Amino acid sequence: MESVEISVIVPVYNVEAYIEEAMVSLLDQLTAGVEVIVVDDGSPDGSIGLVHRVLERYPQWRGQVRIVTQRNAGVSAARNRGIALAKGRYLAFLDPDDLLLKGYFEALGAVLREHPEVEVIGFNAIYFTHAERGEPRGIRALEIHREPRHYRAGALDAEARMAQVIHSGQWYVWASLYHRRLFDGREFDRELSMFEDAMLIPELYLAAGEIVCLDRPLLGYRINPTSAVNSVAERQLGDIRRVIARYRELVRAHRGEPYSHYALSVFCGLVRDYHFTLQRRYPLRRAVEMMRDEFALLVEGRPDLDQALADHLAGLEFKRRSLFQHPYLYNLSKRLALQLRALSRGQRPRVA
């Protein structure tokens, strides 16, 4: 096999119903210079048998696909194993119940040719509910990047461009291609059962010297009612609290630097996601009470944090009925909406 440009890492565990469609979407458009690493995370069902059967239909790609097996250790450990084995200059990730859309490698290859020093390529996706003959159905857009963006460290407008990229980010690991350098000394947190990508991916973006964001969808994200992201357990709430705490500390550690501003944007999005997650886990009234408690802890109970942090927290938007049930939250949201608007335009938030 010639030199590897891209390694695609596919963690597999109990996805017998979906893995064939995922592998076909990948192998149908595989090209020279791309390797596939399938990590069997101790799956007890027939998923890996299906992977082998799909490979039999693509004998021309057999030399570019590796299947490795490990004891069940979770998706983070499986991805870390794939990263350790990867030979590619760039790393991509495909979850085994999702699909690569047609033109995936063509679009990424075009960016790599135009920007040979790029370290992250971000792109959009679509939601889908099922596939028919390999084509996703039940589609709606998952718009991560509303317009094409290009960031390069050291450019005159670098700070504003990075702010725009970070603010638009939804931290799905599969929504970007990454230079493997970014994983030096970094890996997915094995202790997290959810939000492991939110812990790591923003740091990869912030470490990148050049980022290109595309406004076209390259991946289909399956809305799967049995997947981990659609069921919320107490442990998973603890996971997102850990991620929130990590970015809160980054805000404090880099105070006065642009990095603190970027970490603050990530932090606020995570708090918002946490509150929406609470509303899936608990009845609305209980969730709102817990949100109020969290605000009190993060804003009123932490006077050592920057005022800007409190401003951003205050600007988070919630479901309308939640806001009106608790004027406290409504007033917080209304008070500094202009700060979030400034952030979305790549400007520094005005400190009240």
Side-chain angles (χ1 to χ4, degrees), residues 151-166:
Y151 160 83
R152 180 178 293 159
L156 291 177
D157 58 351
E159 186 175 336
R161 286 182 178 268
M162 176 60 88
Q164 292 171 343
V165 168
I166 291 298

Side-chain angles (χ1 to χ4, degrees), residues 35-53:
E35 70 168 355
V36 179
I37 303 175
V38 177
V39 182
D40 173 15
D41 187 32
S43 184
D45 69 354
S47 296
I48 295 303
L50 285 171
V51 171
H52 283 289
R53 282 199 284 275

